[in-house]
Amino acid sequence: MASLINALNQNSFSQNSLSHNSPSQNLMTSSSSDQNLILIVDDTPANLTVISEALSDAGFEIAIAISGERALEQIQREPPDLILLDIMMPGIGGFETCKRLKSDPKVSMIPVIFMTALADVESKIQGLELGAVDYITKPFQEREVLARIKTHLELRKTQIKLQKSEQRLESILHSLKEVVWSARLKPFELLYLNPVVKQIYGHEPEQLIRDPLCWLEMVHPDDQLQLQKRLNAPDPSGPLDLEYRILRLDGEVRWVHCQAHVYFHTTEQRFRVDGIVHDISDRKQAEHQLRYTAEHDSLTNLANRAYFVTQLNQLLGRPHDRKSDQFALLFIDLDRFKAINDSLGHNVGDQLLKRVSQVLLDSIRPTDLVARLGGDEFTLLLRNVSEIEEVIIVSNRIQKKLQNSIQIGKKSFNMTASIGIVIDCSQYDSAESALRDADIAMYQAKSLGKACHQLFSQEMYEQAIQKLRLESEIKHALQEGEFFLHYQPIKRLDTGEICGFEALARWEHPVRGFVSPAEFIPIAEETGLIVPLGEYVLREACRQMKNWQQMYPAAAGLTMSVNLSSRQLRSDNFLDILHRIVSESHLKSSNLKLEITESLLMENSAATLQLFQQLQDQGFRLSLDDFGTGYSSLSYLHRFPINTLKIDRSFVQKIEPGLSSFEIIRTITALAKTLQMDVVAEGVETAQQAEYLKELHCDMVQGYFFSKPLNTAAATQYLQDELQPQSLLSSST
Ligand code: C2E
Ligand code: MG
Ligand code: MG
């Protein structure tokens, strides 16, 4: 390989020599690109020969020009790596040639070394000023010439390398999506910015470099302080990692992430910062969207439970020294919302919830917080509350606004809410416990007749705990079969004959003993456990009545009254369950009397009416229990197919001519006759009461005067005793 190169060099040199022999050709070029090409410009052949031979021997490729004009042509054709230029030449001299060369950017970087016989310093200076890199003096010292040429070729090579690397760097910096910047500190001066700065900051790099304060001033006013703090941090040696907003001249706000490195003169003195800025606006926007979704309720756009709990916990974690630092918690549950939702559909329900959200927002200050926990449950956090009255005012304001009719389509709604209030939140260490107590107070407001507020008290808490305990005990009792039935006889007042029993649920708790239905029935209703409990009662009562009928044929016409809760009636599969129980027991539907309460009639009349009609068509009897204690309006009665009105014992106990109860019972019995219903009076405790009831044409009676509720054995005995005379009578005739 080396010999091949040598051979080529030789060849090239012989050509050069040849050319040199015929100077009319003027220019010589090399075909090899590995060798350095030196252009020698001189009008003196002797000089040309000496130098070109020396350079050829040193392995350079040679080109020759005998005038300035020729040299310039040759340079255009094939730019050499270095030019040796004679100063004194006919035509354009060396200085002029150099000047023209340097004015052409394409070739201006080629190093020029003047060859001069001139000894004066002035012309050397002039040559250097024109851009020459060096000069050599005639007569030539061959080693000096070679040394100088090599040095400048080396320099030139380094320069080209540098240029190329700069170009590469520039092209990389131009293609980046991130702003790359470099600045000097004290005073602040931008040294470099790549062009993408225009896209992100809206300014050309040159513009910002001219006015570096503009770059600093673009940091969003709200983020300036935080940024300053970070920049003045005590340990600035590590890289800075900052996220902040910039405010562009056109008003657009962008989020940027800046990573920067500070360089120091000494440990105290910073002197330069280099950094990269990414536009993270899209990421921030996505993050914001995600956070919003995670913290808000999608229907109402109010805060959701998670966000509310976080905020509440934050407040609870702070010290509350002053009275005005206190805050109150309101737990709001809409009254009758479920009925609206069930009867008018979820679309109307959703719209109503949205309107209620607006009402709540309109009732508080901007610093307060309102959230939707789910369903029709909302919470409010009222900040800086110093007096209870302030909270009550807000609560009343909400009630009032809800009662002003809310129009949705053609329907208008007058809503109310039950509101539980916790005033002194500072006693809580967790949001969950504060919410729990507000919830307890809300339940209290519900049970006190709704449309009101209740302040939480310790007593309520204990009640709630008691309730929870009872709930789990009822569940357990259902599983363990701790429930059973007592039967209270119902008799005809005119003949004294037995006409049926009322089945009453009983609970024998293994530790507490007998638990009153007045205690467990309301909890079972509230928790929905009344559905399985009621099913048990229904099944057991039907089975027992069928049993008695089988024992005593005369019992064939007796009715078994069973209390039904509205939760049972509203459960989807109520009719299926009823049919199954009745067919399993083989009891006729006419032997079963379902006792329901007045409130049920008011809750959802269309659906209830339809259900009652179905029950009536299937032969079941319906009795309206505790009549007189619910809604005072009697006008709705005629719309429902009811067989029996059962006058509440509170009237019976006060029955005495001249007292209002007496007249009420008279009115009820008269009304019942008109509507072809019969009347039962319950809670009859004395002979006198029975006498008055007879006077008022009451059909049937039930009460301690005749019999207390009896266990199965006692009821069986009772029945046998009651039916005996009849059977004796029937057997004797
Ligand atoms: P209710 O349906 O009005 O039942 C009549 C209540 O009056 C029974 O109380 C009964 O023991 C009581 N009573 C009967 N005669 C007299 C009397 O002369 N004087 C007095 N002071 N009270 C008398 P009990 O058994 O404690 O039941 C209370 C309530 O519990 C029932 O009222 C009924 O609403 C509910 N309940 C009982 N069992 C069931 C059931 O199986 N299902 C449902 N849903 N509720 C039930
Ligand atoms: Mg009853
Ligand atoms: Mg009753």
Side-chain angles (χ1 to χ4, degrees), residues 287-437:
E287 276 175 8
H288 176 79
Q289 194 58 44
L290 279 176
R291 203 178 320 118
Y292 188 89
T293 315
E295 291 175 346
H296 288 79
D297 166 49
S298 59
L299 176 70
T300 60
N301 280 328
L302 293 179
N304 62 12
R305 185 187 189 101
Y307 184 69
F308 191 84
V309 166
T310 314
Q311 292 294 304
L312 186 53
N313 272 327
Q314 264 176 22
L315 276 180
L316 292 174
R318 272 186 217 156
H320 308 285
D321 303 334
R322 286 174 295 131
K323 217 177 169 197
S324 61
D325 282 344
Q326 288 181 4
F327 52 95
L329 178 62
L330 276 73
F331 200 111
I332 302 169
D333 188 288
L334 298 179
D335 300 328
R336 292 178 52 247
F337 178 76
K338 192 178 176 329
I340 295 172
N341 210 33
D342 289 349
S343 57
L344 298 177
H346 289 224
N347 197 16
V348 173
D350 284 355
Q351 297 214 39
L352 199 56
L353 288 173
K354 283 190 198 173
R355 301 288 287 275
V356 168
S357 306
Q358 197 51 52
V359 165
L360 296 178
L361 284 172
D362 292 344
S363 308
I364 56 169
R365 293 165 298 184
T367 47
D368 299 332
L369 178 65
V370 50
R372 178 176 173 232
L373 297 198
D376 61 345
E377 288 180 345
F378 298 86
T379 44
L380 289 188
L381 192 61
L382 305 182
R383 288 181 230 240
N384 304 325
V385 171
S386 49
E387 304 296 338
I388 294 178
E389 285 72 23
E390 295 172 31
V391 184
I392 293 176
I393 288 171
V394 174
S395 168
N396 289 342
R397 190 187 302 148
I398 291 170
Q399 291 287 16
K400 207 167 157 202
K401 286 190 181 193
L402 287 175
Q403 277 161 25
N404 287 342
S405 63
I406 296 174
Q407 195 77 27
I408 291 170
K410 285 182 185 148
K411 291 203 179 300
S412 70
F413 299 88
N414 303 92
M415 302 297 291
T416 60
S418 301
I419 304 177
I421 302 173
V422 169
I423 296 278
D424 185 14
C425 289
S426 55
Q427 56 177 319
Y428 294 97
D429 53 7
S430 82
E432 290 300 343
S433 49
L435 274 171
R436 176 203 60 207
D437 286 356

Side-chain angles (χ1 to χ4, degrees), residues 532-574:
L533 175 59
E535 191 178 327
Y536 160 75
V537 173
L538 206 53
R539 179 171 288 114
E540 186 56 21
C542 290
R543 194 195 58 73
Q544 185 58 58
M545 182 46 90
K546 185 67 196 175
N547 201 4
W548 282 331
Q549 286 178 350
Q550 283 166 346
M551 288 167 76
Y552 312 109
L558 298 190
T559 55
M560 179 61 90
S561 296
V562 176
N563 294 290
L564 286 187
S565 139
S566 54
R567 295 259 324 226
Q568 265 175 287
L569 280 159
R570 270 197 261 113
S571 65
D572 292 339
N573 51 357
F574 169 70

